[in-house]
Each structure stands twice: as structure tokens, then as C-alpha cells.
Amino acid sequence: GTRPMAYSSPTLLLLASGAYSSSMSGLGNAFSIVAPEAAVFQVDVTVSPSSSVFTTATLDVQLLHSIDGTNYDSFLRFPQIVGGTAAVARQIASWNGQVAASSSLNMHTGSTTTLAAGSVLNGAIGSMWKVAYTIANGPTTSQTNPFTFSVKANVFHQS
């Protein structure tokens, strides 16, 4: 038989644009995604003006999934963004639930810290999603935040 056409949801704003402070970690709100098959994610980052106080700041952004809304696991982690390197950075990543993960990843201990930067864990995942981010090595003074960023997604479902 033939597969039904997939359709895309409207663009979902997973984490609203905001200026996030110098040394912090955070989680966006949880989203319940019904029957996801694939998704394209975009992180838009504005880096504060190039300055010696920002060049060591780093931003890590990842997507987490859960089946129970309590215990989360990373399934996508964007490449790390370094402060003072560019005025605007846009990173795009794709996840495909129809592509089997390598056998070593099909069974693993859930973690929000072990997925390497620039990695995607394809294959079936839970329907609760969150954005997690960590800003490290930011300025220790009361200067402006090193990064302003948002995370968006288009999720594809079967029709």
C-alpha cells in the first residue's frame, strides 16, 4: 500500500526569544506533540557585541523528550555557539522518527547531559518535548546578557 502524505504543523515556538543571562541553565515549557514522525528545528541566536568579556561565553541548546513528563532524555543537541564570534547565528537541525537509531542507542540510559554537541538521536521518542539550554563562562559583572535566542520547530505528522 501507499503511505499517506505527511503534513507539517504550523511553526511552533518552543522557546520565546529572550536575553538569557551569563551563567545559567534553563528549561522551556513542556509541549505535547501528537504522533511526531519528523521535525525541523531552528535556533536563532543574537550574540552580544564582540567584546573580550563575551568571547569565552558558550551557549548549548538541546531538545529533550519524555514519555511521562518527568524523566527527560536528549534527542537533539545543536552545535555549541561561542560568544563574541558572530552577530547572528542560525542553526537548523532535522530529526526523523522513521529512521532507526543505531542498535547501541536503541537501549540507553536516559540523560540530559550525555548527547554530544551537534548530534541527533533519530528513531522513536516520547511525545513530551522541552528545550534545555546552558550558558557558561559568561561575564561575572552586571553587563548585558551574552545571548538572545529562540527555538522554533516544524513537526511532521501522518495525515
Side-chain angles (χ1 to χ4, degrees):
T2 60
R3 279 179 57 102
M5 280 293 267
Y7 69 93
S8 170
S9 66
T11 299
L12 301 173
L13 183 61
L14 300 178
L15 185 68
S17 182
Y20 295 93
S21 65
S22 48
S23 290
M24 68 183 298
S25 295
L27 290 172
N29 293 326
F31 286 84
S32 180
I33 308 295
V34 178
E37 286 199 356
V40 177
F41 299 95
Q42 178 175 307
V43 59
D44 291 309
V45 182
T46 301
V47 180
S48 290
S50 193
S51 164
S52 61
V53 298
F54 294 119
T55 57
T56 59
T58 58
L59 171 63
D60 289 288
V61 178
Q62 60 183 324
L63 276 293
L64 311 176
H65 74 98
S66 174
I67 60 171
D68 62 9
T70 300
N71 300 295
Y72 282 85
D73 185 33
S74 299
F75 71 95
L76 186 147
R77 186 168 172 190
F78 287 97
Q80 188 176 72
I81 297 170
V82 178
T85 58
V88 176
R90 174 171 289 131
Q91 295 182 348
I92 298 173
S94 299
W95 163 80
N96 190 335
Q98 303 302 306
V99 174
S102 71
S103 59
S104 64
L105 295 175
N106 284 336
M107 180 83 61
H108 66 276
T109 301
S111 173
T112 60
T113 60
T114 58
L115 191 63
S119 297
V120 177
L121 178 60
N122 286 309
I125 61 172
S127 62
M128 296 296 294
W129 293 2
K130 276 187 182 184
V131 174
Y133 60 90
T134 302
I135 298 172
N137 305 316
T140 56
T141 66
S142 61
Q143 294 171 326
T144 62
N145 302 315
F147 302 103
T148 300
F149 63 98
S150 65
V151 181
K152 300 174 187 129
N154 279 112
V155 180
F156 297 87
H157 309 268
Q158 285 227 358
S159 56

